[in-house]
Amino acid sequence: MARSWLDYKTQAWVQWCPGCGDFGILNSIYRAVSELGIDPENLAVVGGIGCSGRTTYYVKGSNFHALHGRAIPVATGVKLANPHLNVIVVGGDGDLMGIGGGHFVALGRRNLNITVLLFDNAVYGLTKGQAAPTLPAWIKTKALSMPNIHDNINPVLLAFAAGYTFIARGYAYHTQQLKELIKTAVRHRGAALVDILQPCPTYNNIMTNKWYEERIYYVDQEEGYDPIIRTPEEFQKKAPAIAAKLMEFGDRIPLGILYWNQTRESFEERLEKIMPGYMSAPPATRRIELEGKPFLHPFDIFKDRLVTP
Ligand code: SF4
């Protein structure tokens, strides 16, 4: 049942610069989780370090502000302990594509049911605008003393190679469309990425709202592009067109659902196969103490469940 978005708003003062794309992302999160009717008790937002990490203070839930690059491993622990929670990771491109890049790949390999919202503004905003991994080569933003000589990473292509089964791209100022993408990503069973292009008006004076508006378009307005995989055979057939679409980033930048594989089993489904009963009695619901004394050692939680597949 849908709830009011105000049910998810905390009392914390929102500390972002005027005009920051983060506001659009935050509003889209509020409206997505409220329309999905997710109880704040069943929501966990896990963030890394960066302007995006502050989202964990602004959305009501069982949240965690983790170390730089470590939002995904923390979120993985949360999700494995209680697979019934809706777990959303928020992080910037510096956090998730830089220091946290290995964890980003590991989540795709596992296809654990977590939604990653990548606040993609191509700079390290919190530390005064250094070049981040998604900043294209030869761009010189105002905080750089010379143009960036690194090539940029493409998060959606990396996610595809890593094994994410839902990949979308949104734009922070298009909150209606972004809200719908977040809702679909949260409902998806498996690792989901929404790469959110986001102007940073304070430090990225090149990739502005005008820069994005001149390039972005929605793939569902283009005839013939179908990102959904319903059978393994369909993957073989559609993979080249999907990979080509994911690679597109330059004069034209595609938005919307870019890839949605509905055939691959999630990590929880695999765990259930080797640990029957995992989903009905996950670790978070099991008693670990009795009369103040440890009753079950954490290492023993799964011991009686493991079966050879
Ligand atoms: Fe937003 Fe950039 Fe300011 Fe950070 S530095 S709050 S990303 S405008």
Side-chain angles (χ1 to χ4, degrees):
M1 195 184 66
R3 307 170 63 126
S4 163
W5 71 273
L6 288 166
D7 292 348
Y8 302 86
K9 195 177 172 340
T10 65
Q11 296 302 309
W13 180 254
V14 180
Q15 290 187 36
W16 287 318
C17 311
C20 177
D22 287 0
F23 289 100
I25 303 174
L26 178 63
N27 276 297
S28 303
I29 295 173
Y30 283 146
R31 289 175 199 279
V33 293
S34 64
E35 288 181 21
L36 288 172
I38 296 171
D39 189 323
E41 279 186 15
N42 290 326
L43 177 66
V45 181
V46 183
I49 299 300
C51 302
S52 57
R54 303 193 63 82
T55 310
T56 55
Y57 308 145
Y58 307 145
V59 181
K60 269 189 201 156
S62 306
N63 302 345
F64 196 102
H65 195 173
L67 296 174
H68 197 208
R70 306 296 176 239
I72 287 179
V74 170
T76 299
V78 170
K79 186 71 182 176
L80 290 179
N82 187 353
H84 303 297
L85 283 181
N86 294 277
V87 180
I88 297 178
V89 166
V90 290
D93 57 294
D95 186 281
L96 291 170
M97 296 288 104
I99 187 171
H103 300 304
F104 180 83
V105 170
L107 178 58
R109 286 181 57 219
R110 294 187 180 116
N111 197 30
L112 185 63
N113 187 6
I114 286 176
T115 299
V116 177
L117 303 181
L118 173 57
F119 293 40
D120 186 353
N121 58 20
V123 293
Y124 286 91
L126 192 73
T127 49
K128 306 271 184 282
Q130 298 87 344
T134 58
L135 186 71
W138 304 114
I139 284 187
K140 182 189 169 313
T141 55
K142 64 183 177 188
L144 301 180
S145 55
M146 56 175 67
N148 171 37
I149 57 168
H150 299 274
D151 275 321
N152 53 321
I153 202 160
N154 179 336
V156 293
L157 198 56
L158 180 62
F160 185 60
Y164 283 70
T165 43
F166 179 91
I167 302 171
R169 188 187 280 119
Y171 183 50
Y173 291 174
H174 293 184
T175 53
Q176 180 64 24
Q177 295 91 331
L178 180 56
K179 173 202 73 178
E180 291 301 327
L181 291 176
I182 295 172
K183 278 168 67 180
T184 314
V186 170
R187 276 195 299 241
H188 171 67
R189 276 187 308 103
L193 167 71
V194 185
D195 176 29
I196 307 169
L197 303 176
Q198 177 228 332
C200 166
T202 302
Y203 292 112
N204 193 335
N205 58 322
I206 305 295
M207 298 164 85
T208 59
N209 182 42
K210 182 171 177 292
W211 190 96
Y212 284 117
E213 289 286 0
E214 286 168 357
R215 289 164 175 80
I216 54 179
Y217 72 98
Y218 284 90
V219 286
D220 57 4
Q221 289 163 4
E222 218 181 41
E223 247 177 66
Y225 186 69
D226 179 6
I228 303 178
I229 306 292
R230 298 169 190 88
T231 64
E233 298 71 43
E234 227 181 346
F235 180 80
Q236 301 301 329
K237 230 168 77 189
K238 290 183 178 171
I242 290 172
K245 187 60 72 187
L246 295 169
M247 264 185 250
E248 201 180 332
F249 192 95
D251 292 344
R252 296 190 83 220
I253 303 175
L255 303 183
I257 299 175
L258 305 177
Y259 171 61
W260 189 358
N261 189 329
Q262 301 176 350
T263 67
R264 199 174 147 214
E265 61 190 354
S266 69
F267 195 66
E268 300 93 308
E269 287 164 339
R270 290 186 182 181
L271 272 182
E272 178 69 32
K273 279 185 184 165
I274 60 163
M275 288 185 281
Y278 165 70
M279 288 299 285
S280 53
T285 63
R286 301 190 68 187
R287 185 160 201 166
I288 58 168
E289 60 80 34
L290 194 60
E291 291 167 0
K293 296 204 178 92
F295 168 68
L296 185 66
H297 192 280
F299 293 150
D300 294 336
I301 286 178
F302 291 129
K303 223 165 97 183
D304 57 333
R305 305 268 191 92
L306 279 171
V307 293
T308 310

